[in-house]
Amino acid sequence: MAPAETREDAVRLRVPAALEYVRIVRLTGSGVASRLGFDIEEIENLRVALDELASMTIDVASAGELEITFSTTDTELRIVGRAPIAKGVEVGVEPLTAQILKAVIDDYDLRTDDGFVCFSCVTRRPPI
Amino acid sequence: MSLSAEERAHSRAKFEEYRRTGDRKLRNELIEAHKSLASHLARRYANRGEPFDDLLQVAYLGMLKAVERFDPDRNLEFSTYATVTVEGELKRHFRDKTWSVRVPRRPQELHLRLGGVVNELSQRLGRAPRIPEVAVELGVAEEEVLEAMEVGGAYRSSSLDTRPGENGEPTAIERRLGAEDRGFDIAEHRVLLETVLADLSERERTIVELRFFYDKTQTEIAEEVGISQMHVSRLLARTLIQLRERLETLDA
């Protein structure tokens, strides 16, 4: 949680849980990151991370909506997403994806929670 | 739209007056008088996935431009001139706005310029530029820069754009979507990963390893390998797609 003195803004996005919409997720994420002053390379990293996480989530989601919240403070961008999970699927991060995510984002998580597949990731940056 | 000689003369007189005075009231009258032509043209473009109201707006905007630019001395019927102008506006609207269907032209054009500008700025600033800096340099809005970046690096979802294989063969992504068994054996996957990495060219492998195994930034890799950062970015995007396709094929 953000310390009391920092302001926390949130942008919420709901898209159909379909791969065609990953583009919108990336675009929104990069827009929010740009507002925080991320440089073009950091934004590219974030886009890769969002691409991986959103696609993985959608892969195991049943038809439904993917809900994503982008929250920002002065020092970090936190993204959480969730979608209803399909029956009988396993949720896991492939080794290649894990390597990629480790390289592009400070912290991430993918898990199931009460009928939902949920992801979260954080990119921290020094205060501007 | 055929007009009587009298109407034609009347219309011509109005256009001449408008050109002389630039009177906005007169201009609006002229636009009003040709609204039905605008909506007629807009209707031709209806049912292509864009709301009719939007098309109508675009057509009116085209009509406004036509009225402003029309030169009565050129001995051309206004309706002819307006038709061309309004249709041009409608076509441009479809080109620019219907980007859920295909990548719009403008971001594509911008993307081509993006690489050079990012390199130049990186050198000048001594660091990777921020979006507002890139936007100023390109003379466009920040959103346009972000969209131009989208054109360049659609990683995984790009394979959705590929047409289905011949004989109705599912594409890699369709196979993936249709897969029932999501279970996988990590050890087996690691072996697969090594196999597919070995298939890459030496430069591609180096870049992937530096980026994802040694955690170097694109700029650092660019320096190390001796190519531009944008080039690294493009190579990485392409290589990742290749890797994934190979993994999916081997995994199937």
Side-chain angles (χ1 to χ4, degrees):
Chain A
M1 275 290 106
E5 68 270 19
T6 60
R7 168 176 144 173
E8 187 171 331
D9 286 347
V11 173
R12 290 194 179 80
L13 180 69
R14 286 166 75 117
V15 294
L19 286 175
E20 299 95 292
Y21 290 89
V22 172
R23 178 195 164 114
I24 309 278
V25 174
R26 284 196 306 259
L27 197 51
T28 307
S30 46
V32 172
S34 177
R35 260 191 55 78
L36 271 186
F38 280 37
D39 69 34
I40 199 158
E41 203 170 299
E42 293 166 323
I43 289 177
E44 285 221 349
N45 285 345
L46 180 72
R47 290 176 55 236
V48 173
L50 273 177
D51 206 60
E52 294 296 330
L53 290 165
S55 306
M56 271 195 294
T57 304
I58 289 167
D59 274 352
V60 296
S62 64
E65 280 184 333
L66 172 60
E67 274 182 51
I68 301 186
T69 304
F70 305 82
S71 8
T72 63
T73 65
D74 292 343
T75 54
E76 66 173 40
L77 169 58
R78 179 180 295 271
I79 303 170
V80 298
R82 65 173 211 164
I85 192 166
K87 278 207 177 69
V89 294
E90 270 181 57
V91 172
V93 181
E94 296 162 29
L96 174 63
T97 304
Q99 281 289 355
I100 293 170
L101 285 171
K102 213 176 83 204
V104 292
I105 202 119
D106 288 323
D107 227 337
Y108 75 90
D109 183 37
L110 180 79
R111 66 198 150 76
T112 52
D113 180 21
D114 197 21
F116 284 88
V117 49
C118 310
F119 75 80
S120 64
C121 67
V122 183
T123 299
R124 295 181 193 93
R125 63 188 339 272
I128 309 160
Chain B
M1 284 209 172
S2 56
L3 302 169
S4 70
E6 197 186 327
E7 281 172 321
R8 202 169 295 161
H10 181 66
S11 162
R12 189 187 156 92
K14 280 205 165 170
F15 272 108
E16 276 171 351
E17 195 189 336
Y18 174 58
R19 276 186 81 79
R20 211 173 49 245
T21 59
D23 180 356
R24 290 176 65 88
K25 232 190 247 166
L26 195 53
R27 183 195 69 180
N28 294 348
E29 248 176 65
L30 284 164
I31 296 170
E32 278 293 327
H34 295 93
K35 256 185 159 173
S36 63
L37 175 59
S39 63
H40 169 74
L41 293 169
R43 213 161 293 131
R44 278 205 215 161
Y45 285 80
N47 302 320
R48 295 194 194 180
E50 284 286 276
F52 183 65
D53 280 355
D54 287 6
L55 296 181
L56 209 53
Q57 287 243 345
V58 173
Y60 288 156
L61 178 67
M63 191 53 80
L64 170 89
K65 287 184 178 171
V67 167
E68 283 183 340
R69 290 179 198 159
F70 181 61
D71 180 356
D73 292 338
R74 271 174 54 194
N75 238 347
L76 191 71
E77 283 273 1
F78 174 72
S79 59
T80 311
Y81 182 77
T83 301
V84 175
T85 311
V86 171
E87 285 205 314
E89 202 67 28
L90 285 163
K91 282 179 187 157
R92 190 168 319 119
H93 173 78
F94 271 93
R95 198 188 69 197
D96 293 348
K97 297 294 163 56
T98 56
W99 56 290
S100 56
V101 183
R102 65 199 152 84
V103 176
R105 206 169 130 191
R106 193 168 159 73
Q108 243 165 9
E109 287 164 351
L110 263 186
H111 175 71
L112 296 175
R113 291 163 60 204
L114 193 63
V117 165
V118 169
N119 273 336
E120 222 181 278
L121 280 172
S122 301
Q123 296 204 337
R124 209 190 301 159
L125 301 166
R127 58 167 170 80
R130 302 205 170 108
I131 304 300
E133 293 162 340
V134 178
V136 168
E137 195 71 15
L138 283 166
V140 299
E142 291 171 28
E143 284 70 22
E144 290 180 273
V145 176
L146 296 172
E147 282 194 7
M149 287 170 70
E150 277 299 315
V151 177
Y155 293 83
R156 193 193 296 220
S157 41
S158 69
S159 36
L160 265 185
D161 300 332
T162 53
R163 299 253 60 82
E166 282 174 45
N167 314 320
E169 287 268 300
T171 60
I173 199 82
E174 283 168 341
R175 274 201 304 275
R176 188 192 185 92
L177 287 171
E180 281 164 27
D181 182 12
R182 289 283 309 162
F184 44 76
D185 181 346
I186 290 190
E188 193 177 295
H189 238 84
R190 194 158 288 147
V191 175
L192 277 179
L193 186 55
E194 275 161 23
T195 318
V196 295
L197 278 175
D199 285 348
L200 297 176
S201 77
E202 202 182 318
R203 184 167 73 166
E204 287 167 338
R205 196 167 54 240
T206 308
I207 291 173
V208 168
E209 282 173 359
L210 287 174
R211 183 69 194 87
F212 298 119
F213 296 84
Y214 294 92
D215 218 0
K216 302 244 184 207
T217 68
Q218 289 183 7
T219 310
E220 286 166 351
I221 298 170
E223 273 166 24
E224 212 154 304
V225 184
I227 56 178
S228 73
Q229 178 262 320
M230 280 307 274
H231 198 175
V232 172
S233 157
R234 274 194 291 273
L235 277 175
L236 273 175
R238 207 181 63 203
T239 311
L240 285 183
I241 289 168
Q242 277 176 18
L243 277 180
R244 205 175 297 284
E245 277 169 2
R246 281 284 287 150
L247 272 177
E248 274 160 6
T249 320
L250 289 172
D251 210 14

